[in-house]
Amino acid sequence: MWQEERYQRIRKMLAALRSASTDRIAEELGVSRETVRRDLIALEARGELRRTHGGAVLDGEAPEHDPTHHDRRHYRAVARAAASRLSNGQTLFMEAGSMAVTLAEALDVLHGITVITNSFDAAMRIAASRDHLSHGNRAVMLGGSVLPSLAATHGEHAIAEIHRYTADAALLCPSAIDARHGATHADLSRAELARAMAANARSIVAMADDTAIGQNAGVSYCPADRIAMLISNRKAEATEGYDALAGALGGVVLV
């Protein structure tokens, strides 16, 4: 079955059911669970659905019992852990993604930082925050073409601007990460922008939850041995591929 045909059938399932498990989708399509995981990562990158622990829901559909409500607490814990390992006065790259705004809020404990980002929401959160302003923090918004699904910029102009800077750290949120392929995205333009941030940073901090561990989204942009630290939730430790990944990284923090 061709990729686009699988995407269309997944869309139809979610339109009818509102949510579906990875196992059910795999059975319905007659493909492996690994293929379904890759397809869900790709469709989430397009803004068409939201992955959950064990499946997916239509973007915007988050019933109270759904694990996506847990994700907000997890994001805050991961963001605080990242902020605690950074220093005052640093220049930071931050890529757009589901963690960007939460991370922008957590960084307000720091003083004199410069955050260079392609996320409109994160840039505004820093520029309009009293805490950020009182601490002398500032945001630099990268120019470029607009990517509506992420409320972000991307493309060659954004990448050219990244190359004007050298950052102390790049704060990256890969769609998937494993030992062999490192940090990956399903979308080529997102991967190319993140690649530029990684190349122009002295240190790389990656943030990903357990659903991304041991997975490959398709487009590699940073090898595992270049990542100084991965911050994830504790369920990551039980995922297939975690041990190999942890051995390839500079370090892992579980919150």
Side-chain angles (χ1 to χ4, degrees):
M1 184 183 299
W2 294 103
Q3 184 182 69
E4 284 302 326
E5 182 182 354
R6 295 198 307 272
Y7 289 177
Q8 187 61 30
R9 291 182 64 178
I10 291 171
R11 292 184 190 104
K12 288 181 178 179
M13 284 187 67
L14 291 178
L17 303 173
R18 316 308 290 176
S19 66
S21 68
T22 300
D23 288 336
R24 180 165 184 175
I25 296 171
E27 182 178 356
E28 181 74 19
L29 272 57
V31 297
S32 68
R33 298 177 80 251
E34 182 63 29
T35 296
V36 172
R37 288 194 189 97
R38 287 197 298 268
D39 289 347
L40 296 182
I41 288 171
L43 290 170
E44 183 179 50
R46 297 183 182 187
E48 297 188 35
L49 55 79
R50 186 189 305 276
R51 285 185 300 149
T52 67
H53 295 267
V57 298
L58 285 180
D59 196 28
E61 297 285 332
E64 289 188 7
H65 65 275
D66 195 275
T68 52
H69 279 264
H70 151 78
D71 291 346
R72 301 304 175 193
R73 295 191 296 273
H74 159 62
Y75 287 170
R76 288 193 291 271
V78 168
R80 288 194 295 267
S84 70
R85 286 160 175 82
L86 299 170
S87 301
N88 295 330
Q90 287 187 320
T91 296
L92 308 168
F93 286 131
M94 181 199 299
E95 71 164 323
S98 56
M99 278 286 299
V101 173
T102 307
L103 185 55
E105 293 171 347
L107 293 177
D108 67 9
V109 299
L110 297 172
H111 294 251
I113 62 170
T114 297
V115 179
I116 303 165
T117 183
N118 65 321
S119 168
F120 292 118
D121 293 336
M124 286 302 300
R125 192 60 59 99
I126 294 168
S129 165
R130 291 183 179 179
D131 287 333
H132 276 297
L133 291 173
S134 66
H135 291 173
N137 300 334
R138 69 187 187 109
V140 175
M141 183 71 204
L142 294 168
S145 302
V146 175
L147 186 63
S149 63
L150 278 182
T153 56
H154 69 137
E156 60 183 19
H157 294 299
I159 290 171
E161 287 197 21
I162 289 170
H163 287 298
R164 295 171 56 193
Y165 300 93
T166 299
D168 295 291
L171 307 176
L172 304 179
C173 298
S175 301
I177 182 168
D178 68 1
R180 180 178 178 183
H181 305 95
T184 58
H185 278 314
D187 183 82
L188 178 61
S189 65
R190 288 189 66 189
E192 290 299 327
L193 186 138
R195 188 194 314 279
M197 288 185 173
N200 288 277
R202 297 186 182 91
S203 179
I204 298 167
V205 178
M207 290 155 285
D209 69 15
D210 60 286
T211 63
I213 304 301
Q215 304 297 316
N216 171 23
V219 185
S220 177
Y221 63 84
C222 182
D225 61 7
R226 275 274 287 128
I227 298 172
M229 184 178 300
L230 169 68
I231 304 176
S232 187
N233 57 316
R234 294 195 176 278
K235 287 185 178 180
E237 201 169 13
T239 59
E240 185 176 352
Y242 171 82
D243 290 339
L245 176 60
L249 297 166
V252 180
V253 175
L254 300 178
V255 296

